[in-house]
């Protein structure tokens, strides 16, 4: 009773806990292990996110939120985490087959944000744009799968850029289907102009000294111009007109229809010219601005129509069908232009590959957020385990000690009885120690 009146000292508390040290150690160890596992795996699966920050380099992207691909399709940066894009990434590798893309999107547990930083140096502004994708960690079996999947998602626009290369053979393919020499030559000329325009566009974007397929872009432009300046296609077209060459007799019907249409246009043009002349020579005082130039333009139109009509009549009159003109004259030019087109395709592919890239801000590709690391989980669990172990050990030790005090208070103490009680207490303490062991 005297001890209770005096209160309990710190030293006494530690003595009581130490008397149950085995129990305290077991509890501390169990709580630390269980807490670490629960906190790291269960809590993190609910709260932890993977995120990756990256920048994209695409031609003409600059600081736009929308991007137009070479084939004309448009993408907003937010579409990178759409179901269609994520499903395409999932189907690109067997390593991603267990990822539930549908739930990821429908639950809103994946998102993308765009950050733009504008810096000003010597009154010159520069803009840096980065993107951050965040996704719940529970959708992945481990961080390696998450990193691979998120890298693939970030790289989709670059891959799409390379895959959406336009068809460079449109005019070339159409020329093979042309049933008229003049139309075939015209289409080959359009193909040549297309090649030149594509090279000039690449020069404007990447510079004349940009190297692709071992040569600068400027040399490709010079090569096409050199071929054009030979006027081979113009010479062939003039030969067709001068000799009234036809590819086959089937085209004669088209010439008849074309002649009918030209004669109709000529009639309308002549009527229009007559009305213009009457209007200018009338005494009504009516006048119109640039009347002389309008009349000259109308007369030029009439003259052009008359030439076309005369040519059409000659083609129909001579019926000079010559299939050998295709193989002897046109085919060599077709082969040369096709080779230029093949080279253009290779150059464009290499330029796209060199200029379209994704850069990650973190060397590992991804970082974690919103969760607790393994070391921190273990440390917190250890602290909780020690505190809980001390509380339980103190309670257990105090209960044992109180039982001993109560037993002593109930017995009238004679020397022989006191000795017996002491022996009994010693035995009980030994038995307790054995049980704890």
């Amino acid at each position: 009773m005297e001890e209770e009146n005096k209160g309990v000292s710190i030293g006494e508390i530690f003595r009581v806990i130490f008397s149950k040290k085995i129990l305290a150690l077991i509890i501390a160890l169990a709580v630390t292990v269980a807490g670490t596992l629960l906190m790291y795996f269960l809590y993190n699966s609910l709260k932890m996110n993977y995120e990756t920050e990256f920048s994209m380099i695409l031609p003409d992207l600059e600081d736009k939120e929308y991007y137009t691909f070479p084939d004309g399709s448009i993408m907003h940066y937010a579409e990178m985490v759409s179901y269609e894009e994520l499903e395409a990434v999932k189907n690109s590798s067997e390593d991603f087959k267990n990822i539930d893309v549908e739930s990821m999107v429908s639950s809103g547990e994946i998102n993308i944000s765009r950050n733009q930083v504008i810096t000003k140096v010597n009154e010159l502004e520069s803009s840096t744009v980065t993107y951050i994708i965040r996704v719940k960690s529970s959708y992945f079996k481990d961080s390696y799968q998450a990193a691979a999947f998120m890298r693939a998602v970030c790289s989709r626009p670059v891959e799409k850029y390379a895959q959406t290369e336009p068809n460079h053979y449109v005019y070339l393919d159409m020329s093979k289907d042309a049933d008229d020499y003049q139309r075939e030559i015209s289409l080959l000329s359009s193909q040549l102009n297309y090649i030149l325009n594509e090279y000039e566009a690449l020069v404007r974007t990447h510079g004349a000294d940009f190297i692709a397929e071992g040569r600068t872009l400027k040399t490709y432009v010079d090569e096409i111009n050199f071929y054009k300046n030979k006027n081979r296609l113009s010479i062939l077209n003039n030969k067709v007109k001068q000799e009234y060459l036809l590819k086959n007799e089937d085209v004669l019907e088209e010439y008849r229809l074309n002649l009918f249409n030209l004669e109709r246009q000529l009639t309308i043009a002549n009527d229009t010219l007559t009305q213009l002349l009457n209007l200018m020579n009338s005494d009504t005082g009516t006048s119109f601005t640039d009347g002389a130039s309008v009349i000259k333009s109308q007369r030029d139109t009439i003259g052009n129509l008359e030439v076309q009509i005369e040519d059409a009549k000659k083609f129909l009159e001579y019926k000079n069908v010559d299939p050998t003109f295709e193989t002897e004259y046109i085919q060599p030019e077709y082969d040369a232009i096709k080779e230029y087109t093949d080279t253009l395709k290779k150059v464009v592919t290499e330029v796209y590959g060199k200029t379209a890239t994704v850069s990650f801000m973190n060397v590992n590709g991804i970082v974690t957020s919103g969760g607790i690391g393994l070391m921190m989980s273990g440390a917190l669990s250890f602290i909780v385990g020690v505190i809980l172990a001390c509380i339980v050990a103190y309670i257990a030790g105090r209960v044992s000690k109180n039982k001993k005090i109560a037993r002593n208070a109930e017995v009238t103490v004679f020397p022989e009885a006191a000795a017996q009680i002491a022996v009994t207490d010693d035995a009980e303490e030994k038995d307790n120690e054995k049980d704890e062991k």
Side-chain angles (χ1 to χ4, degrees):
M1 297 300 293
E2 182 181 352
E3 183 182 359
E4 291 180 1
N5 292 335
K6 288 181 179 180
V8 181
S9 65
I10 296 297
E12 177 62 21
I13 290 174
F14 280 106
R15 278 194 295 273
V16 173
I17 293 173
F18 189 75
S19 69
K20 298 293 183 180
K21 56 184 178 295
I22 302 299
L23 176 62
L25 184 61
I26 293 173
I27 293 174
L29 183 61
V31 171
T32 299
V33 173
T36 300
L37 295 176
L38 287 174
M39 195 175 300
Y40 185 74
F41 291 103
L42 182 60
Y43 177 83
N44 282 349
S45 67
L46 300 174
K47 299 294 182 181
M48 190 171 74
N49 294 319
Y50 289 122
E51 66 178 48
T52 182
E53 184 175 8
F54 63 99
S55 63
M56 287 189 298
I57 299 176
L58 291 170
D60 299 323
L61 175 60
E62 299 174 349
D63 57 355
K64 303 170 188 172
E65 294 188 8
Y66 291 86
Y67 185 71
T68 303
F69 290 97
D71 65 351
S73 61
I74 299 175
M75 181 200 74
H76 188 269
Y77 75 90
E79 295 177 33
M80 293 176 63
V81 294
S82 66
Y83 173 77
E84 291 75 15
E85 292 297 316
L86 296 179
E87 188 68 15
V89 173
K90 175 181 177 179
N91 294 332
S92 68
S93 173
E94 284 293 314
D95 296 335
F96 305 146
K97 63 181 181 181
N98 67 312
I99 300 175
D100 190 353
V101 168
E102 185 174 357
S103 297
M104 185 187 296
V105 175
S106 62
S107 63
E109 291 178 327
I110 183 170
N111 59 76
I112 184 172
S113 59
R114 179 178 179 272
N115 304 312
Q116 182 176 3
V117 178
I118 299 176
T119 56
K120 192 172 184 180
V121 179
N122 296 329
E123 311 230 346
L124 294 175
E125 288 188 352
S126 62
S127 176
T128 302
V129 177
T130 60
Y131 306 86
I132 297 178
I133 293 180
R134 295 181 183 86
V135 61
K136 191 72 71 176
S137 63
S138 57
Y139 288 101
F140 307 99
K141 63 182 181 182
D142 53 40
S143 61
Y144 298 104
Q145 185 188 45
F149 182 79
M150 295 177 75
R151 279 180 175 272
V153 172
C154 299
S155 300
R156 274 286 292 172
V158 171
E159 294 176 359
K160 189 174 181 180
Y161 179 81
Q163 293 170 359
T164 54
E165 183 180 336
N167 181 7
H168 300 293
Y169 298 86
V170 175
Y171 297 113
L172 202 63
D173 293 340
M174 291 172 63
S175 71
K176 296 302 291 183
D177 297 329
D179 54 4
D180 176 66
Y181 285 140
Q182 290 187 79
R183 188 176 298 112
E184 184 175 3
I185 293 171
S186 175
L187 289 168
L188 289 176
S189 180
S190 296
Q191 179 69 24
L192 198 62
N193 289 331
Y194 169 81
I195 296 171
L196 182 60
N197 291 336
E198 285 295 297
Y199 279 132
E200 289 176 342
L202 291 175
V203 168
R204 287 193 298 271
T205 303
H206 307 289
D209 295 328
F210 190 99
I211 296 177
E213 289 288 304
R215 295 166 52 187
T216 64
L217 294 178
K218 183 179 182 303
T219 61
Y220 293 109
V221 174
D222 293 341
E223 182 180 40
I224 301 303
N225 279 324
F226 180 77
Y227 176 85
K228 284 192 69 176
N229 291 336
K230 291 181 179 180
N231 295 319
R232 290 182 177 178
L233 295 178
S234 296
I235 293 172
L236 292 181
N237 195 49
N238 290 334
K239 183 176 178 61
V240 169
K241 288 182 177 181
Q242 290 170 1
E243 299 180 14
Y244 306 105
L245 297 174
L246 296 175
K247 199 171 186 179
N248 52 62
E249 291 187 359
D250 295 339
V251 77
L252 289 173
E253 184 60 29
E254 290 188 23
Y255 273 95
R256 293 189 186 93
L257 292 174
N258 187 44
L259 177 61
F260 174 80
N261 184 50
L262 290 171
E263 290 175 337
R264 183 171 178 275
Q265 291 182 45
L266 180 61
T267 300
I268 296 173
N270 281 321
D271 291 342
T272 302
L273 178 61
T274 300
Q275 292 175 10
L276 289 172
L277 292 172
N278 291 336
L279 182 63
M280 289 195 66
N281 297 326
S282 66
D283 296 330
T284 60
T286 305
S287 62
F288 54 91
T289 307
D290 299 328
S293 63
V294 171
I295 290 176
K296 181 180 182 305
S297 175
Q298 189 65 21
R299 282 175 172 162
D300 290 342
T301 299
I302 291 172
N304 183 46
L305 287 170
E306 289 174 344
V307 171
Q308 291 184 60
I309 289 172
E310 185 66 23
D311 287 342
K313 288 180 177 179
K314 291 290 181 65
F315 275 102
L316 290 171
E317 179 184 353
Y318 291 110
K319 299 179 182 179
N320 189 8
V321 178
D322 183 8
T324 62
F325 185 78
E326 170 82 25
T327 55
E328 291 182 14
Y329 295 96
I330 294 183
Q331 188 63 43
E333 306 310 318
Y334 174 91
D335 293 339
I337 295 173
K338 183 179 183 302
E339 185 175 348
Y340 290 142
T341 308
D342 292 339
T343 301
L344 171 68
K345 179 177 174 60
K346 295 176 183 178
V347 169
V348 169
T349 300
E350 183 171 334
V351 171
Y352 285 1
K354 286 182 176 180
T355 58
T357 59
V358 175
S359 300
F360 294 91
M361 304 298 107
N362 185 279
V363 66
N364 296 321
I366 65 169
V367 295
T368 58
S369 64
I372 301 177
L374 184 61
M375 294 297 293
M376 182 60 71
S377 299
L380 292 176
S381 298
F382 176 74
I383 293 172
V384 173
V386 170
I387 294 173
L388 187 60
C390 290
I391 293 173
V392 173
Y394 178 77
I395 293 173
R398 197 67 188 172
V399 168
S400 297
K401 190 166 185 180
N402 287 341
K403 286 182 179 179
K404 178 180 176 182
I405 293 172
R407 202 165 42 247
N408 288 340
E410 292 175 356
V411 179
T412 302
V413 181
F414 293 100
E416 294 82 358
Q420 183 62 40
I421 291 172
V423 171
T424 303
D425 289 341
D426 290 341
E428 287 181 356
E429 288 181 1
K430 290 180 180 179
D431 291 338
N432 288 337
E433 290 180 359
K434 288 181 180 180
D435 292 339
E436 289 177 356
K437 292 179 180 178

